[in-house]
Amino acid sequence: LPTVRRKAADRLSTAITAAMQELGMAGGRFVATVSAAKEPRSDGMDDVELLVAGHPGTEPKPIAKVASGGELSRISLAIAISTSELGQAPTLIFDEIDSGIGGAVADAVGRVMRSLGRDHQVLAVTHLAQVAARGDTHLVVSKRRSKAGTSSHIQAVNDASRVDEIARMLGGEHISSTSRAHAQEMIAGGTHEH
């Protein structure tokens, strides 16, 4: 059994390292190590350690010691991508896994999530326009307060209302013609990736 776990750790390390390259961590490495525990425990006879080197030329160290918030988000996404590709889960749910990132990395995350959507149903809670613009379906969740309390509302947005929502995500409540044009371009670019 330890040999099987070591082989699985090697496959996982390779897959997660490859996913990191796509998520703005070029040259980074993920290493899962399996070693014999000093004594048997309720969770097995192996010690498993997850290490990461976020940049080329650095030695892998425990994730909690070296990763920033944005890097943790990207590593979490790389793990999710890799395990979904190695596993059989038909539906993947990402709850703000893209927090702490932006710009070109956010664009890469959007592309990767869209790619995952080819073989899986992907549900993503996001505040990033770069991710939302690549979805096949876009739902806006909002909260409304009244004397009776707070309630959540979900509304599908399509066509012009979707463009407005992506523009709002890009630039705030005031939607300019520039942000609307950028939103249209993002949506069009995302739908042509199939």
Side-chain angles (χ1 to χ4, degrees):
L1 196 55
T3 302
V4 172
R5 285 185 175 158
R6 285 189 190 100
K7 286 182 181 177
D10 288 345
R11 281 196 321 272
L12 189 63
S13 297
T14 300
I16 293 171
T17 296
M20 287 170 62
Q21 309 313 300
E22 295 181 59
L23 298 172
M25 298 184 80
R29 287 186 300 143
F30 180 91
V31 180
T33 64
V34 178
S35 57
K38 291 180 182 167
E39 57 186 55
R41 297 183 311 263
S42 62
D43 61 352
M45 297 196 43
D46 294 319
D47 285 329
V48 177
E49 192 171 23
L50 305 178
L51 310 170
V52 68
H55 310 285
T58 58
E59 279 301 308
K61 294 181 181 162
I63 290 175
K65 292 186 178 180
V66 297
S68 67
E71 287 174 328
L72 283 173
S73 292
R74 287 180 275 167
I75 292 165
S76 295
L77 183 55
I79 291 169
I81 290 165
S82 302
T83 55
S84 69
E85 289 172 348
L86 298 171
Q88 301 297 316
T91 301
L92 305 172
I93 300 172
F94 298 104
D95 186 6
E96 296 188 32
I97 199 165
D98 49 22
S99 64
I101 62 172
V105 174
D107 194 49
V109 169
R111 282 194 314 272
V112 167
M113 292 181 96
R114 182 158 184 93
S115 177
L116 277 174
R118 292 186 188 123
D119 299 315
H120 305 274
Q121 178 182 24
V122 176
L123 304 174
V125 176
T126 185
H127 293 281
L128 292 176
Q130 295 93 326
V131 173
R134 287 199 162 75
D136 292 320
T137 302
H138 188 150
L139 305 171
V140 176
V141 179
S142 60
K143 291 185 180 178
R144 295 186 189 148
R145 293 191 178 126
S146 69
K147 290 180 182 178
T150 302
S151 60
S152 296
H153 297 267
I154 300 174
Q155 177 183 1
V157 289
N158 297 299
D159 305 321
S161 62
R162 183 168 187 213
V163 170
D164 285 349
E165 178 59 18
I166 296 292
R168 186 199 61 75
M169 293 174 82
L170 286 168
E173 293 303 319
H174 175 71
I175 299 172
S176 69
S177 58
T178 303
S179 62
R180 189 173 278 119
H182 188 193
Q184 286 175 321
E185 184 179 317
M186 289 175 71
I187 293 168
T191 59
H192 294 148
E193 291 178 356
H194 283 296

